[in-house]
Amino acid sequence: MSAETADTAEPAGLTTGSVDAASRRREQRGWYFYDFACSVYSTSVLTVFLGPYLTSVAKAAADADGFVHPLGIPVRAGSLFAYAVSVSVVVAVIVMPVVGAAADRTGRKKPLLAAAAYVGAAATTGMFFLDGHRYLLGAFLLIVANASISVSMVLYNAYLPQIAGPDERDAVSSRGWAFGYTSGALVLVLNLVLYTGHDSFGLSESDAVRICLASAGVWWGAFTVVPLRRLRDRRVTPGGEGAVGSGWRQLMATLRDMRRHPLTLSFLLAYLVYNDGVQTVISQASVYGSEELGLDQTTLITAVLLVQVLAVAGALGMGRLARVYGAKRTILGSLVVWTLILVAGYFLPAGAPVFFYVLASAIGLVLGGSQALSRSLFSHLVPHGKEVEYFSAYEMSDRGLSWLGPLVFGLAYQLTGSYRDAIISLVIFFVVGSVLLARVPIRQAVAAAGNPVPERI
C-alpha cells in the first residue's frame, strides 16, 4: 500500500453514508475485480482441470491395487484429490485467525490481501510442472493455492460492509459474483480452444492441461492489481498483542462475542452446513463426470462454461428475487434446487453428455445467487467495527471449514468404489442446512446485531 493511500484512508468509525458517492462506486468497482481475478482459479483449476488431471497422475503412480502412499499412508488414487482439498481447508483454518487478528489490529487489510493472493497465484502457476508421477507436488500446490484463496477471501469479504450500505449489499455482492463468473467463462473459452486444438498448437494433451492450470495463476496475479489500487484501508487504533500470538485467542474471543449474538451464530451454523455441500459439489463435479460418467475433458469444459454463463444470470436474477421475496426465502429455494440436482446426478446415465449439460444448467442458475446472497445476508448480521473478525469466522464456514464434504465424498468412494454413492451422500448437507436456516429469524437477528433492518430481507 502506498504512503498516499495510508494517509488518505478513511477512519474506521465512518459509515458508508459519509463517503462521497463517486468514491464509493469506484471502490466497489475495484472490489468486483478481485472476484474477476481469483474466480478463474476456482473455475479452471479446482472445478475443471486439476481434479481429473491429478487423479490421472496419481493413478499412473499407483501400485497394482490402485493405491498411492503419501507419507506411507495407503490412499486410493481416486480419493487423493478430495483428501487434498480437505487438508487445504484445515491449513486455512490454522492461518485465517492469524490473518484476521493482523488485519483487525493494524487496519491494513490490503497488504495481507496482496500477500495471500500472490502466494496462491504463484502456487497455481507452479502447476505447470505437474507431470509424470508428481502427484505429491500436485497435492502440495493444491493445498497452498486453496488455503491462500480462502485467506484472501476473508479480507475481501470484510470490505463489503465498508463499501456498501445496507440496502445495496445484495446487489453489490451479486455483481461481484457476476464479475467472477464472467471471467471464469472467458478463460474457459480460451482453455477450450487450447485444449481441443492442442495438436495444432504442437502440444500434447498433458501440456495443454498444464498450460491451462498455470494460466489461471497468471490471470489471478495480473487482475489482483486492480483491487489493490482501488480499495482503501480504514484506520484503527493501534495496540494489543502481535497477530501471531493472538490470532487463535482472537478467534476464541470472536466466538465468545458471537454468543452475545446467538442468531448470528445460528445463521453461521446453517451456512457452514449447506455451503459445505455447495463447495464439495463444485470441487468434485469434474471427477464425478470423468470417472463415473465417462465424459471426456471437452465435455467437462463446455459444461462448466455453461455453468459460468448461466451463473452470471443466476447471480443477478436471484439478487432481483431477493428484492421481492427476501434473501432468506430465495436462499431456501436455491437449497431445494441443490438437493434435486444431487438426486438427479445420482441417476444420471453414463456416457450421456446432454443430461450432464442439463444438470450443469441447473447448477449455474443457483450457484452464484446462493453464494452471493449468503454473503450479503451475513453482512447484515455483523456488529459494526467487527467486520474482519466476523468475516474470518464466515470464511472458515465458506472455505476454511468446508473439509467435511470432501472428506465424506472421499471416504464414500474409498469404502464403496462408487462415485454415485459419494455424490448422493452430500444430500444431507443441503437438507440439514435448509432446516437450520429456516429456523433463523433474520429481521430479529439484524436488529440484535445493532444494524438497520432493510425493508426486505
Side-chain angles (χ1 to χ4, degrees):
M1 182 179 69
S2 66
E4 179 183 1
T5 304
D7 291 341
T8 59
E10 177 192 349
L14 293 182
T15 65
T16 54
S18 64
V19 182
D20 177 76
S23 175
R24 189 171 74 250
R25 292 288 183 269
R26 183 177 187 276
E27 198 169 7
Q28 287 173 359
R29 287 191 292 270
W31 186 80
Y32 299 150
F33 264 93
Y34 190 68
D35 253 322
F36 191 84
C38 71
S39 290
V40 172
Y41 165 82
S42 299
T43 303
S44 290
V45 177
L46 199 61
T47 304
V48 177
F49 287 108
L50 188 58
Y53 185 68
L54 182 57
T55 299
S56 69
V57 171
K59 285 184 174 180
D63 60 22
D65 296 321
F67 285 82
V68 290
H69 300 268
L71 305 178
I73 302 171
V75 173
R76 191 185 291 269
S79 296
L80 178 71
F81 176 71
Y83 289 156
V85 172
S86 288
V87 172
S88 73
V89 293
V90 172
V91 172
V93 166
I94 296 171
V95 176
M96 281 193 290
V98 176
V99 173
D104 281 336
R105 293 177 187 281
T106 66
R108 294 170 64 88
K109 293 192 291 289
K110 195 154 63 170
L112 295 168
L113 174 62
Y118 284 110
V119 167
T124 306
T125 305
M127 291 176 186
F128 178 79
F129 301 102
L130 175 59
D131 60 1
H133 291 180
R134 296 177 178 174
Y135 72 91
L136 282 176
L137 174 64
F140 172 75
L141 293 176
L142 168 60
I143 291 167
V144 172
N146 222 37
S148 295
I149 198 170
S150 297
V151 171
S152 72
M153 291 302 289
V154 170
L155 303 155
Y156 169 71
N157 287 336
Y159 277 103
L160 180 59
Q162 298 174 338
I163 64 173
D167 291 325
E168 61 179 341
R169 285 183 201 160
D170 286 347
V172 170
S173 183
S174 296
R175 288 190 204 110
W177 282 106
F179 263 62
Y181 288 117
T182 299
S183 73
L186 174 60
V187 173
L188 270 181
V189 169
L190 299 176
N191 290 160
L192 183 61
V193 170
L194 179 64
Y195 180 81
T196 56
H198 60 81
D199 287 334
S200 61
F201 291 108
L203 300 170
S204 68
E205 182 178 336
S206 174
D207 290 338
V209 171
R210 291 187 294 113
I211 290 172
C212 291
L213 291 171
S215 66
V218 174
W219 181 284
W220 184 359
F223 284 99
T224 294
V225 172
V226 179
L228 293 180
R229 288 180 62 86
R230 292 196 173 188
L231 290 173
R232 295 182 296 142
D233 281 333
R234 274 69 175 170
R235 293 192 188 101
V236 297
T237 303
E241 301 177 65
V244 174
S246 63
W248 276 98
R249 284 190 289 278
Q250 177 163 324
L251 175 62
M252 294 300 104
T254 300
L255 294 177
R256 284 194 297 271
D257 186 70
M258 280 187 175
R259 292 171 63 184
R260 299 192 300 111
H261 303 282
L263 298 180
T264 299
L265 194 58
S266 296
F267 172 82
L268 197 60
L269 176 62
Y271 179 70
L272 183 154
V273 174
Y274 72 73
N275 184 67
D276 203 344
V278 171
Q279 295 297 325
T280 307
V281 172
I282 293 171
S283 65
Q284 305 302 321
S286 286
V287 174
Y288 183 72
S290 63
E291 299 295 321
E292 183 66 37
L293 303 181
L295 302 176
D296 59 33
Q297 192 72 58
T298 300
T299 299
L300 297 177
I301 295 172
T302 51
V304 175
L305 177 59
L306 181 61
V307 170
Q308 300 303 298
V309 172
L310 291 177
V312 175
L316 298 176
M318 286 182 65
R320 292 189 179 95
L321 286 175
R323 289 200 294 270
V324 177
Y325 300 104
K328 177 184 173 179
R329 288 183 179 179
T330 306
I331 294 170
L332 285 171
S334 76
L335 297 182
V336 173
V337 177
W338 275 110
T339 303
L340 295 176
I341 286 170
L342 289 177
V343 174
Y346 177 81
F347 292 104
L348 209 62
V354 173
F355 292 107
F356 192 72
Y357 288 142
V358 172
L359 210 61
S361 301
I363 290 174
L365 290 174
V366 295
L367 176 60
S370 59
Q371 293 176 318
L373 292 178
S374 296
R375 178 171 63 186
S376 61
L377 187 56
F378 182 72
S379 73
H380 292 285
L381 309 182
V382 178
H384 179 68
K386 297 185 177 182
E387 292 84 4
V388 173
E389 57 181 286
Y390 270 60
F391 266 106
S392 180
Y394 174 87
E395 188 61 24
M396 285 188 177
S397 301
D398 189 2
R399 297 176 192 266
L401 288 185
S402 293
W403 56 269
L404 185 57
L407 181 62
V408 167
F409 187 94
L411 285 174
Y413 177 74
Q414 177 132 347
L415 295 174
T416 68
S418 169
Y419 282 108
R420 292 186 187 273
D421 291 339
I423 202 72
I424 200 64
S425 69
L426 302 178
V427 166
I428 189 66
F429 292 96
F430 294 102
V431 174
V432 174
S434 296
V435 172
L436 293 174
L437 177 60
R439 293 170 59 88
V440 180
I442 294 297
R443 300 185 70 85
Q444 184 180 339
V446 176
N451 293 322
V453 181
E455 181 178 350
R456 182 75 65 181
I457 193 169

